[in-house]
Amino acid sequence: MLDGSRATGRLQRAEGRAHVAFAAAPGGARLTGLHQSGCAKAMLPRSPGRVPEAVFLNTSGGLTAGDRLTFSLDLAAGARAVGTTQTAERAYASLEGPAADVRTDLSLASGASLDWLPQETILFERAAMARRTRAELAPGARLLMVETLVLGRAAMGEVLRNVRLLDRREVVRGGVPLWIDPVEIGAEALARAGDPALFGGDRAFSTVALIADGAEDGLGPARDALAGVTRDGHGVRAVASAWNGRLVARLAAPDAFPLRRALRSLFATLRGGAPMPRVWQD
């Protein structure tokens, strides 16, 4: 017979680490390293004639208090690859405990090229997450990266009032910072969600950065692509700037779907028409 008493021990938390390494090969790269443990996994879909893809996923089904995930992707000199995630990540209610911790480390040797294109992260009410993405670039390396946040589920009518998010992106070369982009969202910011200086009433946001020699040359085409998506009547807002080998674009939309369409248009320009990862198919 059960006595109905509640367990008082520490709740089980999800932990995992996934690592992929590529070396240069004709047409892209070949696999040289693979590790996966816990709930972090890496898939390598067959892509004949295409630059290889590494697809990372969290098999725990979402992030809650105390979860710890680490993903890493290393490219040797001259290697080309695409990294992404299998689906949107979800950060669930967990304000009562420590924030879920997610770390992504990208390493690009000389002449390597990586498109880091994870799918969006959806924040649920009372979510708590600390995430850091760090990229180490050698001279001549090229990195295109995106990060997308969605504040709640529009289809459910969800309005976020209290979350705790610390999100930081760092790109360095030879120990010298090239681009640092921190984001912090809490209850105070959510209370002013309609403020044009904050969310402007939108709930889906993307930051896209191209860090490469001559990246600023792509500013004109990038702005042309963004101008097209901001005129299509779906409420997307977008701006772009470039300087000294860096091109950064920021996009916002009322929901994730129009934002994904806008990202596809921008990526078609920045990636020279290369196909999107298969997991991005709608």
Side-chain angles (χ1 to χ4, degrees), residues 152-191:
R153 298 159 295 174
M156 303 293 292
E158 188 173 32
V159 177
L160 299 191
R161 304 189 185 281
N162 194 11
V163 302
R164 188 170 77 244
L165 173 72
L166 295 174
D167 197 8
R168 181 180 177 89
R169 287 162 288 281
E170 305 173 357
V171 181
V172 301
R173 179 177 285 135
V176 178
L178 297 178
W179 182 61
I180 297 178
D181 185 52
V183 174
E184 182 174 355
I185 299 176
E188 182 178 354
L190 292 172

Side-chain angles (χ1 to χ4, degrees), residues 126-142:
R126 301 184 66 78
M129 182 175 71
R131 178 169 59 185
R132 188 215 66 181
T133 301
R134 179 180 174 84
E136 290 269 1
L137 275 58
R142 170 195 170 278

Side-chain angles (χ1 to χ4, degrees), residues 187-282:
E188 182 178 354
L190 292 172
R192 300 169 54 199
D195 192 326
L198 290 171
F199 308 124
D202 288 319
R203 67 165 67 227
F205 310 89
S206 289
T207 298
V208 177
L210 174 62
I211 312 295
D213 295 339
E216 60 272 26
D217 296 338
L219 181 60
R223 285 180 169 171
D224 289 343
L226 293 175
V229 300
T230 57
R231 291 194 301 261
D232 67 4
H234 293 287
V236 177
R237 298 182 294 133
V239 294
S241 60
W243 71 102
N244 297 339
R246 306 158 181 83
L247 188 158
V248 177
R250 300 188 188 275
L251 300 84
D255 195 15
F257 182 72
L259 188 63
R260 283 172 68 95
R261 291 184 57 189
L263 287 173
R264 285 176 177 275
S265 180
L266 179 59
F267 290 148
T269 297
L270 296 179
R271 304 178 68 230
M276 292 295 294
R278 294 180 180 179
V279 292
W280 270 68
Q281 303 302 315
D282 294 325

Side-chain angles (χ1 to χ4, degrees), residues 26-29 46-53 80 271 274-278 281:
R46 293 181 180 274
S47 52
R50 296 173 55 169
V51 173
E53 297 176 6
R80 295 187 299 139
R271 304 178 68 230
M276 292 295 294
R278 294 180 180 179
Q281 303 302 315

Side-chain angles (χ1 to χ4, degrees), residues 93-158:
S94 56
L95 281 175
E96 291 75 11
D101 185 81
V102 181
R103 295 176 180 257
T104 300
D105 294 300
L106 310 172
S107 177
L108 282 67
S110 178
S113 179
L114 172 65
D115 291 346
W116 175 244
L117 308 176
Q119 300 193 67
E120 61 268 21
T121 296
I122 303 173
L123 299 178
F124 284 58
E125 175 66 3
R126 301 184 66 78
M129 182 175 71
R131 178 169 59 185
R132 188 215 66 181
T133 301
R134 179 180 174 84
E136 290 269 1
L137 275 58
R142 170 195 170 278
L143 172 66
L144 173 65
M145 64 187 302
V146 63
E147 199 68 75
T148 299
L149 290 171
V150 180
L151 306 180
R153 298 159 295 174
M156 303 293 292
E158 188 173 32

